Amino acid sequence: MSSLRPYEIGVPEKSLDLLKKKLSLASSFPDELEEAGWDLGAPLADVKRLTAYWDDGFDWRMQEKRLNDELPQYTTDVTVDGFGSLEIHLVHQRSDIKGAIPLLFVHGWPGSFLEVSKIISLLTKPEDGTSPAFNVVAPSLPNFGFSEGPKKRGFGIKQYAEVCHKVMIQLGYHEYVTQGGDFGFSITRALGILYPSACRGSHINMVAANPPSWIKHPLLSLQHAVIPYSDRDRKGIARMQWFQKEGRGYNVEQSTKPQTVGYGISDSPVGLLAWIYEKLHDWTDDYPWTDDEILTWISIYWFSRAGPAATTRIYYEVAHDPSKFREEVRKYVANVPLGLAYFPKELYVVPKIWGRTLGPVLYESDNDSGGHFAAWERPEIIVDDLRKMFGKKGGAYDVIKGRNGYGDLEA
């Protein structure tokens, strides 16, 4: 607790000047085939428009001020076993409600702490006494945002989970619940495995589950065998097949040669823009991105403390972990109550029977729209899910004794 320090984003002027210089010199765009579409990658016209606006029109200082005004931010020092001390950036907003539930929000790639901004006030300040209140914590993962990155190899899911857990402990939250998607899925699952007495419930919006096996899940396997797939299931499987065939090129590169791709996204703001913008389009459900949203999102990567290339290393470390811990997080975790949110344009849209192989599922929502960045695209659904799951009528009500989310306003 003593190492917690207030923090405000303040990108040095020389970093802004260098970005502007690079953008003003951008001229060697690739050509584009006739009738090119998103299936070939980020469209040339879009990338040119965004590059021009990033150079002349987009106001980073305004976005920086907005983030500083809206999000209470801090840094703290976390010692990671085998990796020394890292300075971690985090958002932390306490509710005025006594007994608010500590909620750890974990982002992934290409996300950031920014994703919590649409849900944080709704969770900390419920409109009436019928919904639980939360104390929300959203760290920038090491190598992301304004957190420091490790200097040694081998920093994988266990280490990311260790950082998140120790942040919560420093804040005085010895028990907490979690929400996450993308790598937030893996990290919050790891918290339930590694720190079962602390992680008291998890809500996830990327349900990366496997089909049930007869040995481990005989009842679910029987249901899987006799219940035909619904239209929703078939569409979900088609979405996953599309992603495996057409959408995972970035994953292969970042899982095998992150240093190589790092040169392009670290030296060229246009390269970084195209690399991430493609995902913002392909992984969402016709979300109406504004240019300011896109460039704020990508600017956080460009100005990140460890640099854009560092954010890709998590893929390599997860893929090359000799303990194969990434397989463990997809197994049944018995001690953590689980809530699952399904969105049709997520990258994993599994049948619900698959999702139930992950643990004791106490809450499910099956949504008719939304994609990978659920807290950004459909914040009201994430908020509603958490309220229902941990509220008085929810299956995970009162999972943290003395912190059920209800109480009198503090003086």
Side-chain angles (χ1 to χ4, degrees), residues 289-308:
W289 291 99
T290 68
D291 288 355
D292 279 347
E293 282 181 299
I294 294 165
L295 294 175
T296 299
W297 195 290
I298 293 168
S299 292
I300 289 173
Y301 271 70
W302 182 259
F303 294 128
S304 61
R305 177 170 178 173

Side-chain angles (χ1 to χ4, degrees), residues 348-378:
Y348 293 86
V349 193
V350 302
K352 288 183 180 179
I353 288 175
W354 296 22
R356 293 165 191 164
T357 66
L358 294 173
V361 176
L362 303 182
Y363 181 82
E364 293 172 312
S365 69
D366 201 356
N367 304 289
D368 58 7
S369 66
H372 188 64
F373 307 104
W376 193 261
E377 293 179 73
R378 300 299 307 275

Side-chain angles (χ1 to χ4, degrees), residues 79-86 150-156 159 162:
T79 299
V80 185
D81 293 345
F83 292 87
S85 180
L86 297 176
K151 306 304 181 191
K152 299 195 305 184
R153 298 173 67 139
F155 200 96
Q159 287 72 36
E162 181 183 348

